[in-house]
Structures are given as C-alpha cells and as structure tokens.
Amino acid sequence: MKKFKAGASRPIAIMVRTRLAPSRKEIADLLRHSPELARKVDIQQMLAEADVRSASVVSHCPEVRAWLTTNNILHDDAQIEALAKGTDYSVAILSISAPVITTSGDRATFYADDAYGPLAGGTMAVRYRRDVEGRWLYDGESLLSYS
C-alpha cells in the first residue's frame, strides 16, 4: 500500500472486498483444460490462495486499518465505487488479497489489483520472502493482467 501510495498521481483508496485469487472451481477448470499445468505450478499453494480469496486484509488486520486511517486513505467500498465512475477515476484504487504463506513459512504471495479508470489498471501476484531475522522482504511481482 505504501508503494502504491508513493507511485500514485492522485489520492488513493483501498477496497475492503477482494476476490483476486482464482476460486477452487476456476483452478479445477483450468487443470481440466490444461492438465500439463499441474506439473508447472504449485497446486497446493493455489488452493490455499483460493481458500482465502474472500478474506479482507483491511477487515482482518488492525495495523492496516490504523495505517489507512492515519494517512486519511479512503477504505469504504461504497464510497470508492461512487468515485469510480466515468473514464478517469478521481482516486487510484487498490485491492489486495490476503497473503498465503508457504508451509515452510519463508515465502508469501498475495494478489494486488490497481485501477485508475475502467481500462487503466492491472493485477499482479506479489511475492515476499522472510530473511534470516524474520523480516518480510519484497521479492518481486508478476503481472497477470492489465488494461
């Protein structure tokens, strides 16, 4: 969120609701149509991500809510949707899925979706890794879609 805020050219808003990770049904459909992917992706990780796709970081994390409030960042979905009209939104909107941590506890992935207008944004898979001192460090992201 801090990175998004720093890079946005306008005020930002953070959505509470999220459904960015694929559902279990979407994963099953994908594997049914492309079974070779089962050897190329971490299916257990994808299923874990599907299980928390509706979990809201804003709702579940008091530190996130406090940061949003302290920084006067809008995080009310109804108000955000009212601002997200027309061809250019008055706020840059970010949605973040709950993170999923690997069973080894050293890596985490979450999805982030940013939008500046109805056809201006993208969805990324964002990765973090834990260092030897237990701190989470940014480890890169993969662009999944954009418009």
Side-chain angles (χ1 to χ4, degrees):
M1 289 183 290
K2 290 177 184 177
K3 179 182 171 191
F4 182 69
K5 182 178 185 288
S9 59
R10 62 189 88 177
I12 70 165
I14 307 295
M15 294 293 289
V16 175
R17 281 189 320 268
T18 182
R19 294 203 185 282
L20 298 173
S23 69
R24 282 183 170 260
K25 182 185 180 318
E26 290 168 329
I27 294 167
D29 290 345
L30 178 66
L31 292 174
R32 189 171 24 265
H33 295 304
S34 302
E36 71 280 2
L37 290 177
R39 294 184 305 275
K40 297 180 181 180
V41 298
D42 184 342
I43 300 300
Q44 293 308 312
Q45 181 78 12
M46 289 179 73
L47 292 172
E49 292 165 0
D51 290 343
V52 298
R53 73 189 298 255
S54 296
S56 168
V57 171
V58 176
S59 296
H60 288 87
C61 185
E63 291 85 4
V64 167
R65 285 193 309 279
W67 185 83
L68 293 171
T69 301
T70 299
N71 287 279
N72 296 316
I73 296 173
L74 179 61
H75 54 284
D76 177 283
D77 289 358
Q79 290 179 7
I80 294 168
E81 288 168 1
L83 295 172
K85 304 263 188 240
T87 58
D88 192 30
Y89 300 168
S90 61
V91 293
I93 302 168
L94 182 66
S95 298
I96 306 169
S97 74
V100 174
I101 301 172
T102 58
T103 53
S104 61
D106 64 342
R107 300 207 178 266
T109 302
F110 65 88
Y111 294 90
D113 184 83
D114 62 9
Y116 297 86
L119 291 174
T123 303
M124 292 78 55
V126 182
R127 296 175 307 279
Y128 276 76
R129 64 179 170 78
R130 194 184 304 258
D131 69 9
V132 295
E133 293 164 3
R135 294 177 301 212
W136 287 103
L137 305 174
Y138 176 76
D139 195 36
E141 57 192 56
S142 301
L143 182 63
L144 303 175
S145 67
Y146 66 94
S147 63

